[in-house]
Amino acid sequence: MTKDIIDNNDFTRGTLVSLKVNGNSLTRKAINVNTKLLVPLKEMLESCGAIVKINEMNEAATVSSPDFSFELAVGDTQVTINNQATFTLDHEVVFEDDEIFVSVRLALTALKAKLGREKDAGVVTIETLPENGLTVASPAFEAWGNIPHKFVQHSVGGENISMPIQWIGAPAHAKSFAVVIYDAHVLSDYWVHWAVINVDDTTSEIAENAAASLSESQQIKPYYGMQPAGGTGDHAYQIAVYALDIENLDVPNQIVFLEDISPILEAHSIASGTLVGFFQS
């Protein structure tokens, strides 16, 4: 069950997607190459204050900022940030229409950002997460890292066990918490993989495999491990934790997409945070 955020369903080379980075609209649009979202490297990172130098042949780039640095070249399928973390891109770096385009995963990882959208406008958004406030983590994987197979569906080699989730920095006056895991890939339209409400205000974590013991009234969308369609590249799975001003939340409708629950959560949210992890079939 999917609802595409772009009107053109032909996800082949040339499909263009409007892009905002930290609220700034880019003149260059992102492109979908067989459902893999690629973003314009130079304009995207320069809009965030980074220095991007492209060589005369337009085939290599050096990127530097106070927070990150890396080098890449057209055709690369791996990138190392800050000479430390190396990860594989779901699509090689390409040069097209006088611009170098890179996998959106690189953008999210370098900027420590989450993927979003302005649905009615058909715009994809990249938003850097704040360094203070509610911070979400998991002892099972690093932020912007790969989600272990244990937590994905059996059909893609997993055990379908719910992942452990922790959070710190919640406001002292929070009365309960809610946790939602959703798929932010452009094809998945924020399909929800797990939704838990009415987590006690004294709690700051959900243990691994908690889905096996949570009640139906609390686990309003049962855990369904990641299962992206083959060939669609990295999916950004975003684990959102909401600190709420209410002890008991009533969500009457079945949760399928984030839009089914986010208005209810946002109406009571006093703080929220997001952990981003990736998985591809």
Side-chain angles (χ1 to χ4, degrees):
M1 182 180 291
T2 61
K3 299 182 293 178
D4 299 325
I5 87 167
I6 357 182
D7 291 334
N8 185 350
N9 292 326
D10 179 22
F11 288 99
T12 55
R13 181 173 295 278
T15 302
L16 302 178
V17 184
S18 296
L19 183 66
K20 281 187 177 180
V21 179
N22 290 335
N24 299 314
S25 296
L26 301 191
T27 58
R28 287 276 187 177
K29 292 187 176 182
I31 58 175
N32 265 289
V33 180
N34 299 326
T35 75
K36 300 175 180 69
L37 187 66
L38 306 182
V39 295
L41 176 73
K42 185 175 176 64
E43 185 180 4
M44 174 193 66
L45 293 182
E46 286 184 342
S47 72
C48 299
I51 298 172
V52 182
K53 296 181 179 179
I54 310 292
N55 70 355
E56 293 182 1
M57 301 297 293
N58 291 318
E59 61 184 12
T62 301
V63 179
S64 61
S65 82
D67 300 315
F68 57 86
S69 62
F70 59 86
E71 296 180 355
L72 55 75
V74 172
D76 282 354
T77 57
Q78 287 190 324
V79 174
T80 301
I81 296 181
N82 296 334
N83 294 317
Q84 296 176 341
T86 299
F87 59 95
T88 300
L89 304 174
D90 64 5
H91 194 282
E92 66 180 22
V93 178
V94 301
F95 181 76
E96 200 163 290
D97 296 330
D98 298 320
E99 173 66 286
I100 291 178
F101 285 84
V102 299
S103 167
V104 71
R105 177 171 183 171
L106 174 57
L108 299 180
T109 304
L111 296 174
K112 299 188 182 305
K114 66 178 181 178
L115 195 61
R117 65 174 184 177
E118 294 179 0
K119 182 181 177 183
D120 293 339
V123 176
V124 169
T125 63
I126 294 172
E127 182 181 353
T128 298
L129 296 174
E131 294 183 356
N132 49 22
L134 200 156
T135 301
V136 186
S138 174
F141 62 95
E142 296 291 333
W144 297 281
N146 293 322
I147 295 172
H149 274 76
K150 178 189 291 189
F151 308 113
V152 307
Q153 275 293 318
H154 299 286
S155 61
V156 287
E159 301 176 34
N160 198 35
I161 293 173
S162 62
M163 63 181 65
I165 302 167
Q166 302 172 341
W167 56 92
I168 60 173
H173 57 293
K175 295 183 178 180
S176 70
F177 297 96
V179 177
V180 181
I181 300 177
Y182 61 96
D183 184 351
H185 192 282
V186 292
L187 283 179
S188 301
D189 200 51
Y190 285 19
W191 198 85
V192 171
H193 284 261
W194 201 25
V196 180
I197 59 173
N198 301 333
V199 178
D200 189 86
D201 65 325
T202 62
T203 300
S204 60
E205 65 180 334
I206 294 179
E208 180 177 308
N209 202 28
S213 58
L214 289 173
S215 67
E216 291 185 4
S217 61
Q218 190 174 20
Q219 190 174 207
I220 54 176
K221 175 67 183 290
Y223 186 82
Y224 189 93
M226 296 72 211
Q227 191 183 24
T232 58
D234 279 320
H235 284 228
Y237 292 94
Q238 302 189 160
I239 299 96
V241 176
Y242 299 82
L244 305 178
D245 64 1
I246 188 172
E247 291 184 9
N248 292 292
L249 193 65
D250 182 24
V251 182
N253 299 318
Q254 182 180 4
I255 303 304
V256 177
F257 299 101
L258 188 65
E259 66 189 37
D260 298 324
I261 188 174
S262 61
I264 301 171
L265 295 178
E266 289 169 4
H268 292 281
S269 177
I270 54 177
S272 63
T274 302
L275 168 66
V276 181
F278 294 93
F279 185 79
Q280 65 170 293
S281 296

